[in-house]
Amino acid sequence: MGKRYISPVSRKILASLKTALKLKDEEFYDIGCHAWTNFLYNLDESTLVGLIEEVVAVMKPLVKKRPEEMAPVLTSVLVETPSVKEFLANMPLLPEDDSLSIINQAILEHQLKVVGGSTEGVV
């Protein structure tokens, strides 16, 4: 459908995706990954900025279950979207997984900047 149609109803879609996360069947995790990925890729940047902290907090259980599947979209949204980077300091670290290490590194770096620390030696 695209950004033009998804962004105006993003809150309603987000509510539906939150509800779907309550389904614990393995098949629903696969469907959920696909749905969340499409949702995030189809938000315009200004809408994404307004939702990003809530989205990351809500989808953490899915990311924990399927880190490899969610890593590409989260890297794109959190690390490669310039307007989202300023919110990384407010983000919780994602589950420990090699596929999420780039994202967690970016979160740590931004958190350290906020508290005035150095990013040297942070892995």
Side-chain angles (χ1 to χ4, degrees):
M1 287 182 70
K3 296 176 186 207
R4 187 171 127 193
Y5 298 103
I6 299 297
S7 291
V9 294
S10 60
R11 286 274 172 203
K12 292 178 182 183
I13 295 170
L14 181 58
S16 296
L17 290 171
K18 282 182 188 180
T19 302
L21 283 175
K22 294 176 184 176
L23 303 170
K24 303 295 182 192
D25 185 274
E26 288 299 313
E27 185 179 342
F28 285 113
Y29 284 118
D30 295 334
I31 294 168
C33 289
H34 185 71
W36 279 96
T37 297
N38 282 312
F39 174 64
L40 292 172
Y41 279 139
N42 283 292
L43 289 176
D44 63 45
E45 201 166 323
S46 63
T47 303
L48 178 63
V49 166
L51 295 175
I52 197 61
E53 290 179 59
E54 181 180 2
V55 164
V56 170
V58 166
M59 59 186 297
K60 205 167 181 178
L62 181 62
V63 174
K64 187 175 183 176
K65 269 303 228 192
R66 297 284 196 277
E68 296 84 17
E69 289 87 341
M70 297 310 299
V73 68
L74 290 174
T75 301
S76 174
V77 167
L78 297 174
V79 179
E80 297 169 3
T81 305
S83 59
V84 172
K85 285 183 182 182
E86 68 184 78
F87 296 96
L88 287 178
N90 302 329
M91 303 277 170
L93 290 175
L94 299 176
E96 282 191 41
D97 188 272
D98 288 343
S99 62
L100 301 171
S101 63
I102 292 171
I103 302 164
N104 282 330
Q105 176 69 29
I107 291 170
L108 281 172
E109 287 175 4
H110 282 80
Q111 288 173 345
L112 286 172
K113 285 180 188 175
V114 168
V115 296
S118 170
T119 58
E120 288 182 33
V122 176
V123 180

